[in-house]
Structure formats: C-alpha cells, structure tokens
C-alpha cells in the first residue's frame, strides 16, 4: 500500500485552491467531507458537534491556504488541521466528567496527544505498514480488507468464511496492537485511516 496525493486530489486542483479558486475548494470539500464526518463522529458521537467541527476544519483549510506553498504537502496540511481541531475540541470537552469517562472508554489519550504541524504523512504511512506487516497473518488480512479495501465486516466474513464476530475480534486485537505501539500517535492513525485509506 502506498499513499500518494494524486490518488485523492490532483495537483492542478491544489494549485488552483492555493490561488483562491473557490470551485477548487468546493471540489476538495466534496472529496473529504464524508471522510471527516465519519472520523469526527466516531469520536464526538453527536451530529451537531460533528457538523460544527467539519465546518471549522474547512474554514481553517481555506483561511490558511497561503501557508501551503507546496501542492504535494496538501495531505499533511489537511491532516494537521483536522487532527488539531479535533484534539482541541476533545480537550475542551474533557472538563466534563462524563466525557472524561467516555474518552477513557475508547482509550484515547487526549492529554498526551501532540499538536501536529507539518506531519510527514509518508513517514507515518511507512510506520503503519511496518506495524501492519507484524500482525498475525489472519489478523493482518482482515485489517487490510477493512481499512485498505473498505470491505464491510459482513463482506470480510463471507469472503474468508468466518463469522462477523471473528472479524470484529481480529479488528479489535489489531487496533489494540497498533495503539500499544503507536501510543499518543494512535489518534493520528485513526484520522489517517479515515482520510486517506
């Protein structure tokens, strides 16, 4: 698996966006809106907060476009803005006792999460690939089908001739292993999987 920005949005589109082309921005919005909605909703659990955060991310993407001097770094640029906006929101909500318990339940260490600036997506992709290759064979196969090929749990179960529960167990164990090895970068992994795979 190799992530290249050209697989998601064309370089020419990014150049137009940097130059203030609103149509190019609309195309970028259309490409990433649903992916961001899925990621953010998986963490904040409310539709209203999700919509507000996605809107905030894209406002920041537009307002800071002049900082993006290299079209090839768009993936890192978007990733950093989405990550930092989400972490800031989760930290602000962490003053609420109920929310602290929720965050603990999904095992996201918000206090340890670092603000990202110009994250190296290529290096992150390589690290993820190395960790995935270290998973047990069946676990690795299930993980790749789910996250790299976008199979549903049911489709994986039918393809491999195993139960949906077994698929879920493989995914849970794979994520536990990745979290143990990535530590504070685990939240970054989740965003990476939602946005780019």
């Amino acid at each position: 698996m190799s992530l290249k920005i050209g697989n998601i949005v064309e370089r020419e589109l990014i150049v137009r966006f940097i130059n203030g082309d609103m149509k190019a921005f609309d195309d970028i919005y259309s490409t990433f809106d649903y992916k961001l909605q899925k990621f953010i909703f998986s963490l904040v659990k409310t539709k209203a907060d999700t919509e507000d955060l996605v809107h905030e991310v894209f406002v920041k993407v537009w307002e800071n476009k002049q900082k993006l001097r290299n079209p090839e770094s768009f993936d890192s640029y978007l990733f950093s803005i989405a990550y930092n906006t989400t972490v800031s929101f989760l930290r602000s909500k962490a003053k609420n006792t109920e929310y602290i318990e929720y965050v603990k339940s999904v095992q996201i260490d918000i206090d340890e999460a670092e603000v990202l600036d110009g994250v190296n997506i290529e290096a992150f992709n390589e690290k993820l690939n190395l960790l995935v290759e270290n998973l047990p064979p069946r676990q690795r196969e299930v993980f790749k089908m789910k996250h790299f090929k976008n199979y549903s749990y049911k489709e994986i179960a039918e393809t491999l001739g195993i139960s949906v529960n077994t698929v879920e167990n493989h995914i849970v164990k794979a994520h536990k292993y990745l979290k143990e090895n990535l530590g504070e970068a685990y939240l970054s992994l989740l965003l990476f999987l939602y946005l780019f795979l």
Side-chain angles (χ1 to χ4, degrees), residues 20-90:
D21 185 327
M22 186 57 80
K23 176 65 171 65
F25 174 70
D26 288 343
D27 289 344
I28 289 167
Y29 188 101
S30 297
T31 300
F32 290 102
D33 177 43
Y34 178 68
K35 296 175 180 184
L36 271 176
Q37 295 265 2
K38 275 179 69 179
F39 168 71
I40 292 174
F41 184 79
S42 76
L43 295 174
V44 304
K45 301 301 184 188
T46 72
K47 193 170 182 227
D49 285 338
T50 297
E51 288 174 353
D52 287 348
L53 282 167
V54 170
H55 178 72
E56 185 180 343
V57 167
F58 282 111
V59 166
K60 288 178 180 176
V61 165
W62 176 257
E63 288 178 343
N64 292 284
K65 63 185 177 297
Q66 295 303 323
K67 294 179 182 176
L68 181 63
R69 304 190 186 284
N70 180 5
E72 274 71 32
S73 66
F74 177 79
D75 48 356
S76 298
Y77 164 77
L78 173 65
F79 185 92
S80 296
I81 290 176
Y83 178 90
N84 292 334
T85 302
T86 306
V87 167
S88 294
F89 173 82
L90 292 171

